[in-house]
Amino acid sequence: MRKEVKRLDSHYLKVDLFGIPWMTLNVPNMIMTTVAMVIVFFVCFFMSRKIQMYPKGAQNALEYLVQFIKNIINSTMDWKQGKNFVMLGITIILYVFVANMLGVPFELATADHDVWWSSPTSNPVLTISLAAFVIVLTHIYGLKLKGPKEYGKDYFRPAPFMAPFKIIEDFSNTLTLGMRLYANIYAKEMIMVMLVGLGVSSAFWAFGAFVPLIVFQAFSVFIGSLQAFIFCMLTMVYMSHKVSEDH
């Protein structure tokens, strides 16, 4: 069954999986999510193909990224636990960054305003799902590194009455982590859509909206980069709460 969802005057093709109304698939967002994954894979693949003792070029950039992630981890937890999350940090920051950037240079839509190219992180389903995945991972690693008994005790520290609040905290962390990313990227794309709409309204505004659009595109790169960093940083903060001995 085909549906359409609207974002201002834009439409997104959605399909009910197996004919079940609440199991809907946003087709453009699925495509863009896959595109982001493919880009991240090939970027990392080609940057690490020729490993040299004295890095240069792409390898040097990749090693800088690895060191950057290590610094984030060291600022949130002891390296004894943190060394397990280097690849997780690299994957998250690259994927979120690429997903944020996809909608910056352009957005593709048909004459009927059916959107087929935009930032996948402007969809709350993706961002909250990604946040839920992160929170689930914190529990998995907490159980793995501390053991079920010790991990369970953390919910009753420093006092037993804290357990309900810590359970609520897990749900609130999921919502805030996902909605923060979604809200910033969605707002960025809405402003760009409005600037483009202003530009096509008349010949005069075509020039008047061009300069603000270029400036805002540059600012959008900053927003996307900052949100990727924040998402990665908060992932490590939440992870440290579950795996560190002093929590």
Side-chain angles (χ1 to χ4, degrees):
M1 180 178 180
R2 172 177 171 151
K3 290 185 176 181
E4 288 182 340
V5 291
K6 294 185 177 181
R7 192 175 72 175
L8 293 183
D9 60 341
S10 300
H11 311 274
Y12 294 82
L13 174 63
K14 298 187 74 176
V15 177
D16 291 340
L17 295 178
F18 311 110
I20 303 175
W22 55 269
M23 290 186 63
T24 56
L25 177 66
N26 188 319
V27 177
N29 201 64
M30 181 194 69
I31 294 173
M32 297 311 302
T33 300
T34 305
V35 168
M37 290 190 293
V38 170
I39 291 175
V40 171
F41 172 78
F42 280 106
V43 166
C44 292
F45 176 76
F46 287 110
M47 290 177 73
S48 59
R49 284 189 67 187
K50 298 180 180 179
I51 302 299
Q52 301 176 353
M53 181 63 68
Y54 299 99
K56 60 181 179 179
Q59 182 187 344
N60 195 43
L62 187 59
E63 292 195 8
Y64 176 81
L65 176 63
V66 171
Q67 187 58 50
F68 181 71
I69 296 300
K70 287 183 177 180
N71 292 338
I72 292 177
I73 294 172
N74 283 326
S75 68
T76 58
M77 69 186 85
D78 188 84
W79 184 245
K80 178 182 177 182
Q81 292 85 23
K83 63 184 179 181
N84 297 287
F85 311 118
V86 175
M87 292 307 300
L88 174 64
I90 293 173
T91 302
I92 285 178
I93 199 168
L94 281 178
Y95 177 76
V96 175
F97 173 77
V98 171
N100 292 348
M101 293 298 107
L102 287 178
V104 171
F106 56 85
E107 181 175 290
L108 294 180
T110 65
D112 296 327
H113 300 284
D114 290 321
V115 177
W116 288 98
W117 184 284
S118 62
S119 295
T121 42
S122 64
N123 188 306
V125 175
L126 174 63
T127 58
I128 294 178
S129 297
L130 189 59
F133 170 76
V134 166
I135 299 303
V136 169
L137 274 183
T138 64
H139 291 289
I140 292 174
Y141 276 102
L143 289 166
K144 179 181 178 181
L145 298 180
K146 301 180 76 171
K149 184 177 180 181
E150 189 65 24
Y151 180 75
K153 289 181 179 179
D154 284 343
Y155 277 88
F156 301 94
R157 294 170 179 160
F161 69 85
M162 292 297 295
F165 296 100
K166 291 191 175 183
I167 294 173
I168 294 173
E169 182 184 35
D170 288 333
F171 288 100
S172 63
N173 286 343
T174 303
L175 288 176
T176 56
L177 185 62
M179 292 303 294
R180 180 186 293 105
L181 177 60
Y182 157 69
N184 281 275
I185 304 305
Y186 179 81
K188 176 262 293 182
E189 294 213 342
M190 286 298 94
I191 294 175
M192 291 183 65
V193 167
M194 287 188 289
L195 286 173
V196 171
L198 182 65
V200 299
S201 62
S202 66
F204 173 78
W205 284 111
F207 177 78
F210 178 75
V211 175
L213 180 61
I214 296 301
V215 173
F216 190 76
Q217 281 183 313
F219 184 62
S220 296
V221 174
F222 170 74
I223 293 175
S225 303
L226 179 62
Q227 290 305 313
F229 167 75
I230 291 174
F231 197 96
C232 183
M233 172 67 79
L234 289 177
T235 295
M236 297 307 162
V237 169
Y238 297 152
M239 188 69 74
S240 70
H241 290 169
K242 301 299 184 183
V243 303
S244 297
E245 299 296 336
D246 55 343
H247 287 90

